[in-house]
Amino acid sequence: MIQAKQHAKLLRNEPLARYTSWRVGGAADCLFVPDSLETLIAFLTGLDAEEPVYFIGLGSNLLVRDGGVRGTVVVMHQALKSIKMDGDYLYADAGVTCAKLAKFSAANSQMGAEFMAGIPGTVGGALAMNAGCYGGVTWDIVQQVLTIDRYGNTHMRKPSEFVIAYRSVKMPVADEWFVGAWFNLVEGDPQESTNKIKDLLAKRLASQPLNLPSGGSTFRNPEGDYAARLIEASGLKGFQIGGAQVSDKHANFIVNVGKCSAQDIESLIEQVKQVVFEQQGVLLQQEVKVIGEYA
């Protein structure tokens, strides 16, 4: 494995709890934080072809099991944070937070990305899962994307090359990740966009348990219904396993109330699915991605 450059980080046996919003998870065999796209390309080029590779942003839609991750984890949000107007489009690196993209868009008289202020993650994560909230969906505003494969090759791709669905994006090939995207927005009034962002953030603060570590929405909303309603109707608000609890503020959030393990969270997810299916006849599909090994 090649040596990281001066400002990049290359760490061995690095605990991943500090890199996920749930604040749980075991260690990665290797963790790499690039300082530029060039560094990332060089690093991937130097990896063994059999080395498992995972990309994460803010870790806000991710559960890392207590046994950690065998292979290399690339953390994008501490680098690759460029955002700019590029001709008629807004360009953002994968490590840019969705909130920053929304605010930058408003400041540059661009409308259509306000909803992204409510997504607690990075552009890369939003692209990977087609994140959305408050009526907006990420891929509805994507013009084109830049990806990188595990051999360090970059690819410019159009939305038509992906299979895009609700909270789901299928890549054209395996082991390819997003490093940037161009967004097609419309000209608008900066103050109107800023006011809309403030309203969305106030709504989020009022309805979500932002004071406790969580992974964001745990389950996808079934067609024509809401996961939170089904969970609450099943009497599960406040239900707890170990240090993991179904939030009593928003039932589709599982929060870390202290001394929580990844196993606590995963067990609670399975329990919620089982009870909701038994009582409501609906099998919830989890939105959270799970990686790693059991302790």
Side-chain angles (χ1 to χ4, degrees):
M1 196 173 288
I2 65 171
Q3 293 294 314
K5 291 184 178 180
Q6 182 180 359
H7 298 294
K9 295 179 184 178
L10 182 58
L11 306 170
R12 303 285 184 178
N13 198 33
E14 176 71 1
L16 290 171
R18 69 189 67 173
Y19 299 95
T20 68
S21 60
W22 252 317
R23 300 293 180 258
V24 300
D29 288 349
C30 177
L31 183 138
F32 180 66
V33 184
D35 61 355
S36 66
L37 179 57
E38 290 72 27
T39 303
L40 177 59
I41 290 170
F43 178 77
L44 290 173
T45 301
L47 276 182
D48 186 282
E50 301 303 314
E51 174 88 356
V53 180
Y54 304 86
F55 275 55
I56 66 173
L58 284 172
S60 57
N61 196 249
L62 178 71
L63 179 62
V64 178
R65 291 190 173 116
D66 300 308
V69 175
R70 306 289 74 80
T72 293
V73 173
V74 178
V75 179
M76 297 289 282
H77 82 271
Q78 295 183 20
L80 276 75
K81 295 189 292 187
S82 173
I83 184 168
K84 62 185 179 181
M85 292 304 302
D86 186 8
D88 294 332
Y89 305 111
L90 187 158
Y91 171 81
D93 278 344
V96 172
T97 65
C98 295
K100 183 176 180 180
L101 185 149
K103 293 173 183 176
F104 180 90
S105 167
N108 284 271
S109 304
Q110 299 292 301
M111 291 189 74
E114 295 87 355
F115 73 93
M116 294 194 81
I119 298 174
T122 59
V123 167
L127 291 167
M129 66 171 290
N130 195 20
C133 61
Y134 305 122
V137 182
T138 300
W139 279 85
D140 283 354
I141 57 173
V142 172
Q143 176 67 21
Q144 63 182 7
V145 296
L146 181 66
T147 66
I148 193 167
D149 62 34
R150 62 155 302 116
Y151 305 106
N153 303 306
T154 58
H155 310 269
M156 196 76 76
R157 296 197 183 277
K158 293 289 187 181
S160 58
E161 298 179 62
F162 301 84
V163 179
I164 301 165
Y166 173 69
R167 302 296 181 267
S168 172
V169 177
K170 185 177 180 181
M171 305 294 288
V173 296
D175 288 340
E176 191 168 309
W177 303 274
F178 298 104
V179 290
W182 287 261
F183 294 90
N184 188 8
L185 305 171
V186 297
E187 190 172 347
D189 177 67
Q191 192 58 53
E192 183 181 344
S193 292
T194 299
N195 290 340
K196 186 174 182 180
I197 289 170
K198 287 179 179 178
D199 289 344
L200 292 178
L201 292 177
K203 185 184 296 186
R204 181 169 175 248
L205 181 62
S207 64
Q208 298 179 12
L210 303 182
N211 60 318
L212 291 169
S214 81
S217 296
T218 308
F219 300 100
R220 301 176 183 179
N221 287 322
E223 187 173 354
D225 209 338
Y226 294 95
R229 189 199 70 79
L230 293 165
I231 296 167
E232 185 171 355
S234 301
L236 290 168
K237 246 187 176 183
F239 184 77
Q240 188 168 333
I241 294 179
Q245 181 190 70
V246 176
S247 169
D248 54 13
K249 189 171 186 179
H250 192 307
N252 199 20
F253 281 67
I254 289 177
V255 293
N256 177 350
V257 295
K259 297 183 178 179
C260 183
S261 67
Q263 184 59 61
D264 291 340
I265 295 169
E266 196 164 8
S267 296
L268 185 53
I269 287 173
E270 292 305 315
Q271 180 72 4
V272 168
K273 288 168 68 174
Q274 180 182 335
V275 173
V276 168
F277 182 69
E278 290 172 353
Q279 296 197 18
Q280 310 299 327
V282 177
L283 182 60
L284 293 176
Q285 302 296 317
Q286 68 188 57
E287 193 168 299
V288 174
K289 183 179 179 181
V290 181
I291 64 171
E293 301 182 359
Y294 294 105

